[in-house]
Amino acid sequence: ACASDPGVITKENVQRHLEIFPYDNFLYRDTQCPTCELQKPARSKHCRVCDTCVAKYDHHCAWLNSDVGLNNYRYFLLFLISHVGIC
């Protein structure tokens, strides 16, 4: 999970993320990230620690020193389950 891309949003892939997560205009409105100056897909957030926008952002994990987002959420769950199994 710490070595995989959490789903960082860049100029090159922002359109693809906008298609995956459309706005519902209720909870998620068409906005722009003030830091990245990119259009924010629904469920994305800007991480203050990593200074990147992440699709389907969950949180910044201090154990992994990485964000948990769209692309590495399953690995994070496996990480947690393995630690529970060890304990």
Side-chain angles (χ1 to χ4, degrees), residues 5-26:
D5 172 33
V8 174
I9 298 171
T10 62
K11 291 178 183 177
E12 291 78 30
N13 68 8
V14 68
Q15 194 59 40
R16 182 173 58 93
H17 287 292
L18 288 168
E19 292 168 3
I20 294 172
F21 301 107
Y23 298 108
D24 63 2
N25 291 321
F26 183 70

Side-chain angles (χ1 to χ4, degrees), residues 2-84:
C2 61
S4 64
D5 172 33
V8 174
I9 298 171
T10 62
K11 291 178 183 177
E12 291 78 30
N13 68 8
V14 68
Q15 194 59 40
R16 182 173 58 93
H17 287 292
L18 288 168
E19 292 168 3
I20 294 172
F21 301 107
Y23 298 108
D24 63 2
N25 291 321
F26 183 70
L27 289 175
Y28 304 107
R29 297 199 169 103
D30 187 3
T31 59
Q32 186 177 22
C33 176
T35 307
C36 294
E37 296 180 353
L38 295 172
Q39 190 175 6
K40 278 180 62 171
R43 301 190 69 186
S44 68
K45 295 232 175 14
H46 190 88
C47 178
R48 297 181 295 157
V49 179
C50 296
D51 197 32
T52 57
C53 278
V54 179
K56 202 175 173 185
Y57 182 81
D58 190 292
H59 68 283
H60 181 87
C61 181
W63 294 345
L64 302 175
N65 193 29
S66 178
D67 297 318
V68 176
L70 175 67
N71 293 344
N72 67 351
Y73 196 76
R74 68 183 141 231
Y75 301 119
F76 179 71
L77 288 177
L78 287 172
F79 172 76
L80 290 179
I81 291 168
S82 67
H83 275 71
V84 169

